[in-house]
Coordinates of all heavy atoms in Angstrom, one line a residue:
N494 N 11.9 30.3 -16.0 CA 12.3 29.5 -17.1 C 13.6 28.7 -16.8 O 14.4 29.2 -16.1 CB 12.5 30.3 -18.4 CG 11.2 30.8 -19.0 OD1 10.1 30.5 -18.5 ND2 11.3 31.7 -19.9
P517 N 14.6 33.9 -13.5 CA 13.4 34.7 -14.0 C 13.3 34.7 -15.5 O 14.3 34.8 -16.2 CB 13.6 36.1 -13.4 CG 14.6 35.9 -12.2 CD 15.5 34.7 -12.7
A518 N 12.0 34.6 -16.0 CA 11.8 34.5 -17.4 C 12.3 35.7 -18.2 O 12.8 35.6 -19.3 CB 10.3 34.3 -17.7
Y519 N 12.3 36.9 -17.5 CA 12.7 38.0 -18.2 C 14.2 38.1 -18.4 O 14.8 38.8 -19.3 CB 12.2 39.3 -17.5 CG 12.9 39.6 -16.2 CD1 14.0 40.4 -16.1 CD2 12.3 39.2 -15.0 CE1 14.6 40.7 -14.9 CE2 12.9 39.5 -13.8 CZ 14.0 40.2 -13.8 OH 14.6 40.5 -12.5
L520 N 14.9 37.3 -17.6 CA 16.4 37.1 -17.7 C 16.8 36.0 -18.6 O 17.8 35.9 -19.2 CB 17.1 36.9 -16.4 CG 17.0 38.1 -15.4 CD1 17.6 37.7 -14.1 CD2 17.7 39.3 -16.0
L521 N 15.9 35.0 -18.7 CA 16.1 33.8 -19.5 C 15.0 33.5 -20.4 O 14.1 32.6 -20.2 CB 16.3 32.6 -18.6 CG 17.6 32.4 -17.8 CD1 17.6 31.1 -17.0 CD2 18.8 32.4 -18.7
P522 N 14.9 34.3 -21.5 CA 13.8 34.0 -22.5 C 14.0 32.6 -23.1 O 15.1 32.1 -23.2 CB 14.0 35.1 -23.5 CG 15.4 35.6 -23.4 CD 15.7 35.4 -21.9
R523 N 13.0 32.1 -23.6 CA 13.0 30.7 -24.2 C 14.0 30.6 -25.3 O 14.7 29.6 -25.5 CB 11.6 30.3 -24.7 CG 11.5 28.9 -25.2 CD 10.1 28.6 -25.7 NE 10.1 27.3 -26.3 CZ 9.8 26.2 -25.6 NH1 9.5 26.3 -24.3 NH2 9.8 25.0 -26.2
E524 N 14.1 31.7 -26.1 CA 15.0 31.7 -27.3 C 16.5 31.5 -26.8 O 17.3 30.8 -27.4 CB 14.9 33.0 -28.1 CG 13.6 33.2 -28.8 CD 12.5 33.5 -27.8 OE1 12.8 34.0 -26.7 OE2 11.3 33.3 -28.2
R525 N 16.8 32.1 -25.7 CA 18.2 32.0 -25.2 C 18.5 30.6 -24.7 O 19.5 30.0 -24.9 CB 18.5 33.0 -24.1 CG 20.0 33.0 -23.8 CD 20.4 33.9 -22.7 NE 21.8 33.8 -22.5 CZ 22.5 34.2 -21.4 NH1 21.8 34.7 -20.3 NH2 23.8 34.0 -21.2
L526 N 17.5 30.0 -24.0 CA 17.6 28.6 -23.5 C 17.8 27.7 -24.6 O 18.6 26.7 -24.6 CB 16.4 28.3 -22.6 CG 16.2 29.0 -21.3 CD1 14.9 28.6 -20.7 CD2 17.4 28.7 -20.3
E527 N 17.0 27.9 -25.7 CA 17.0 26.9 -26.8 C 18.2 27.1 -27.7 O 18.8 26.0 -28.1 CB 15.7 27.2 -27.6 CG 15.5 26.1 -28.7 CD 14.1 26.2 -29.2 OE1 13.4 27.2 -29.0 OE2 13.6 25.2 -29.7

Side-chain angles (χ1 to χ4, degrees):
N494 288 350
Y519 70 89
L520 293 177
L521 284 183
R523 184 181 179 89
E524 293 74 20
R525 188 183 181 202
L526 293 175
E527 192 164 19

